[in-house]
C-alpha cells in the first residue's frame, strides 16, 4: 500500500543556538564538485581560507582547521600543550564548561574547578550557571599557586547552555595581575562571529571554535587559534596526539594543504561565509547580534519570566535562556511548540534539563525571523498554561522598530 509522507509547508524554524540555519548561498557553494585535495586548485582554496579565518579570530598567528566537531578542537587544545597529570584551572559556567572539565579528567589531567557559589532563588542547585566567569576568583587562586603548578586556565567565552558571555579580557588581566605563567585557553565555539572575540589583543593562548554557530555552516569544521606561547608549549607537551598535532598541520598549511584528507566541500562553504562576514565587516555583524539579543530579551521580560543569565552585563548576543516556573516541564513546552508550529528551540542541558529552554538569535536570521520565533513561543506558553504577564511579540516589535537595523551594513544585490 502506498504510504504518503506529509511535511509541513514553509520552512522549518531552526531557532536553537547552533547548528544555526545555513544560508542558501553557502549551500550552493558546498554543492560544487569535490576536487583533488592534493591538486593546485585545492591549494589555492586552502591558502584563502587559512588567510581569512585569522581575521575572524583577530589574530596574526596560526589558526588550525580540523575536519571535526568542537569537541575535537577541545581535545586538540589540551593534548597539544599539556602533559599527563598537569594541573589545570577550569571555571564552570554551564554544561559545556563542565564537559570540557570531564574531558580533561579523561585525558589524565588534574582539573581544579572554580564556580560562583552565591545564592540564586530561581536556580538554587546551579547558581554559577547564571553568571559569567568571576575573574577575581581566578586571580586569587593563581596568587595562591606559589609553586606555579597550574599550567593553564580554561574558560568558556559564550556558554551555549546558559546564554552568558564572559569577559575574557578581564581573565587575562587577572592572570597578568597574579604574575602567573599559566596559558589562557578559551572555548568560543558559540561566540565566534557573533560576539566580539580578540585572540591577540586579549592575550588568549588557544581559542577553540566550530563552524555551526556564528559561521552559519553545518557541523564538521573546528578550529584552534594558537599563540606563540602555546606553540612553544606544544614542543615539550607529552600527552599523546597524532590526528590533532599542530606541528604537521601548520607546516603543510603553509602551502594550503593538510596532512590528511580535509573536508573539501565544507571548506568551500567556509570560503563563502568568510567573504560574507568580512564583506559586511565584523563590527556590523556584532552590532546586529547585540540588537537581536536585546529584542528577544524584551519579549522574555514582557512575559515576566526569568532570563537564564542573571547579570545584564554579560547577556549573550547569541542566545537567550528562559527559565520556566517551578513544576512546568520545559521540554514538554518545547515539544508542543515543535509539533504545533514547526519551531525548534534549544533544550535545557545538564543541571538545567526540564527547567528552561534556549532561544537562538544568531547567524542567518532577521527581524521577522525573530518576531516569528517569539510569536511561536508565546503561543506555546499560553497553550501550555504558562502564565505570561504581557505580549512578548509586541515588546520585540517595539524594540526593533525603535532601534532600526543599519541596512547599509547589509548590502543587497540590486537589478537595474
Amino acid at each position: 500500500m502506498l504510504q504518503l509522507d506529509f511535511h509541513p509547508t514553509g520552512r522549518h524554524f531552526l531557532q536553537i543556538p547552533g547548528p544555526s540555519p545555513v544560508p542558501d548561498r553557502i549551500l550552493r557553494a558546498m554543492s560544487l564538485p569535490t576536487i583533488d585535495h592534493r591538486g593546485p586548485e585545492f591549494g589555492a582554496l586552502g591558502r584563502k581560507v587559512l588567510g581569512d579565518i585569522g581575521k575572524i579570530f583577530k589574530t596574526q598567528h596560526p589558526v588550525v582547521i580540523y575536519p571535526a566537531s568542537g569537541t575535537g578542537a577541545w581535545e586538540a587544545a589540551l593534548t597539544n600543550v599539556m602533559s599527563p597529570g598537569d594541573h589545570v584551572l577550569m571555571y564552570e559556567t554551564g554544561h559545556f564548561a563542565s564537559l570540557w572539565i570531564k574531558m580533561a579528567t579523561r585525558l589524565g589531567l588534574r582539573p581544579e574547578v572554580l564556580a560562583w557559589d552565591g545564592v540564586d532563588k530561581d536556580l538554587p542547585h546551579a547558581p554559577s550557571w547564571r553568571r559569567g566567569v568571576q575573574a577575581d576568583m581566578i586571580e586569587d587562586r593563581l596568587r595562591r599557586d606559589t609553586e606555579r603548578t597550574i599550567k593553564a586556565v580554561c574558560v568558556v567565552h559564550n556558554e551555549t547552555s546558559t546564554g552568558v558571555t564572559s569577559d575574557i579580557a578581564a581573565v587575562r588581566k587577572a592572570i597578568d595581575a597574579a604574575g602567573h605563567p599559566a596559558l589562557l585557553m578559551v572555548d568560543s565555539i558559540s561566540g565566534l562571529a557573533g560576539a566580539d572575540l580578540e585572540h591577540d589583543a586579549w592575550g588568549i593562548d588557544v581559542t577553540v571554535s566550530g563552524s555551526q554557530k556564528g559561521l552559519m555552516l553545518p557541523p564538521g569544521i573546528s578550529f584552534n587559534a594558537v599563540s606563540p606561547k602555546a606553540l612553544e608549549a606544544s614542543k615539550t607537551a607529552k600527552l599523546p596526539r597524532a590526528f590533532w598535532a599542530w606541528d604537521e598541520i601548520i607546516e603543510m598549511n603553509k602551502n594550503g594543504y593538510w596532512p590528511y584528507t580535509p573536508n573539501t566541500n565544507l571548506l568551500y562553504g567556509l570560503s563563502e561565509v568568510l567573504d560574507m562576514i568580512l564583506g559586511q565587516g565584523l563590527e556590523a555583524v556584532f552590532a546586529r547580534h547585540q540588537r537581536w539579543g536585546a529584542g528577544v530579551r524584551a519579549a522574555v521580560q514582557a512575559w515576566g519570566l526569568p532570563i537564564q543569565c542573571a547579570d545584564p552585563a554579560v547577556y549573550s548576543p547569541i542566545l537567550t535562556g528562559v527559565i520556566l516556573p517551578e513544576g512546568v516541564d520545559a521540554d514538554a513546552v518545547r515539544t508542543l511548540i515543535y509539533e504545533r508550529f514547526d519551531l525548534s528551540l534549544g533544550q535545557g542541558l545538564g543541571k538545567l534539563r526540564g527547567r528552561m529552554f534556549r532561544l537562538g538569535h544568531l547567524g542567518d536570521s532577521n527581524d521577522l525571523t525573530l518576531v516569528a520565533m517569539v510569536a511561536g513561543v508565546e503561543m506555546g506558553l499560553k497553550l501550555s498554561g504558562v502564565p505570561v504577564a504581557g505580549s512578548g511579540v509586541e515588546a520585540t516589535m517595539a524594540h526593533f522598530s525603535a532601534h532600526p537595523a543599519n541596512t547599509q551594513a547589509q548590502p543587497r544585490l540590486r537589478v537595474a
Side-chain angles (χ1 to χ4, degrees):
M1 181 177 178
L2 179 65
Q3 296 288 324
L4 297 178
D5 185 15
F6 292 98
H7 295 278
T9 57
R11 280 198 164 184
H12 173 66
F13 277 75
L14 183 66
Q15 299 301 144
I16 62 176
S20 63
V22 181
D24 291 342
R25 175 175 168 181
I26 305 303
L27 294 172
R28 287 193 296 270
M30 290 171 53
S31 71
L32 292 170
T34 304
I35 56 175
D36 174 12
H37 61 283
R38 296 286 176 253
E41 186 178 357
F42 182 88
L45 172 67
R47 290 189 297 273
K48 177 183 182 297
V49 296
L50 288 162
D52 285 346
I53 191 63
K55 300 171 186 174
I56 304 296
F57 284 88
K58 295 187 179 180
T59 182
Q60 300 296 315
H61 304 300
V63 178
V64 178
I65 301 177
Y66 295 106
S69 69
T71 304
W74 273 351
E75 183 167 336
L78 293 172
T79 57
N80 273 285
V81 298
M82 294 288 122
S83 296
D86 274 353
H87 184 186
V88 290
L89 188 64
M90 308 185 83
Y91 198 104
E92 183 183 339
T93 47
H95 184 65
F96 290 99
S98 68
L99 289 180
W100 205 9
I101 293 163
K102 182 179 179 180
M103 175 183 282
T105 303
R106 286 186 167 186
L107 290 173
L109 300 175
R110 193 160 49 91
E112 176 183 344
V113 181
L114 295 180
W116 188 79
D117 61 356
V119 177
D120 188 280
K121 64 179 180 63
D122 292 308
L123 284 177
H125 65 295
S128 71
W129 288 30
R130 298 196 68 199
R131 288 161 180 82
V133 174
Q134 307 296 303
D136 59 337
M137 293 177 65
I138 292 174
E139 181 180 344
D140 175 69
R141 180 62 188 92
L142 293 178
R143 286 186 183 277
R144 290 185 285 110
D145 181 32
T146 56
E147 299 298 317
R148 299 297 189 251
T149 65
I150 296 172
K151 302 301 181 184
V153 174
C154 299
V155 296
V156 173
H157 176 215
N158 188 81
E159 176 56 70
T160 321
S161 68
T162 65
V164 174
T165 304
S166 290
D167 186 344
I168 302 303
V171 176
R172 165 46 67 190
K173 290 177 182 176
I175 296 172
D176 292 345
H180 202 286
L183 296 167
L184 173 57
M185 305 177 73
V186 175
D187 165 355
S188 190
I189 290 174
S190 63
L192 186 74
D196 191 17
L197 174 82
E198 302 191 30
H199 178 86
D200 288 359
W202 293 352
I204 304 172
D205 292 299
V206 185
T207 302
V208 175
S209 196
S211 58
Q212 73 276 20
K213 310 285 188 176
L215 289 178
M216 303 178 289
L217 290 164
I221 294 180
S222 60
F223 309 92
N224 278 179
V226 297
S227 73
K229 182 179 177 181
L231 284 173
E232 192 61 29
S234 72
K235 295 176 182 177
T236 55
K238 293 182 171 56
L239 275 181
R241 58 195 186 273
F243 181 84
W244 307 117
W246 290 339
D247 54 356
E248 287 187 345
I249 300 175
I250 291 173
E251 182 60 33
M252 289 203 69
N253 279 173
K254 292 176 181 177
N255 294 315
Y257 299 100
W258 272 254
Y260 39 64
T261 306
N263 38 12
T264 306
N265 288 60
L266 277 173
L267 292 177
Y268 288 152
L270 178 60
S271 174
E272 193 73 13
V273 81
L274 291 172
D275 288 347
M276 292 171 66
I277 292 174
L278 296 174
Q280 294 174 36
L282 273 173
E283 298 310 315
V285 173
F286 298 152
R288 181 165 68 245
H289 283 81
Q290 289 287 352
R291 179 176 169 275
W292 287 341
V296 172
R297 289 191 300 272
V300 183
Q301 291 161 345
W303 294 329
L305 297 173
I307 294 172
Q308 173 67 34
C309 177
D311 180 1
V314 291
Y315 280 152
S316 171
I318 309 300
L319 73 141
T320 298
V322 183
I323 301 176
L324 294 190
E326 190 74 44
V328 176
D329 184 349
D331 288 335
V333 176
R334 286 177 52 253
T335 299
L336 182 149
I337 291 170
Y338 174 79
E339 292 176 346
R340 290 290 298 271
F341 307 116
D342 201 19
L343 165 62
S344 288
L345 306 176
Q347 69 179 123
L349 299 171
K351 298 175 185 179
L352 304 179
R353 187 177 296 275
R355 282 303 320 276
M356 57 89 77
F357 54 71
R358 296 169 295 148
L359 309 177
H361 36 79
L362 71 160
D364 191 34
S365 297
N366 58 33
D367 290 6
L368 294 183
T369 304
L370 301 180
V371 169
M373 174 189 72
V374 168
V377 173
E378 188 165 313
M379 288 188 288
L381 291 171
K382 291 179 178 179
L383 288 169
S384 300
V386 178
V388 295
S391 171
V393 177
E394 290 184 3
T396 298
M397 291 192 300
H399 181 87
F400 289 157
S401 296
H403 303 84
N406 179 8
T407 54
Q408 295 196 357
Q410 304 173 50
R412 295 285 189 269
L413 178 64
R414 298 186 182 278
V415 180

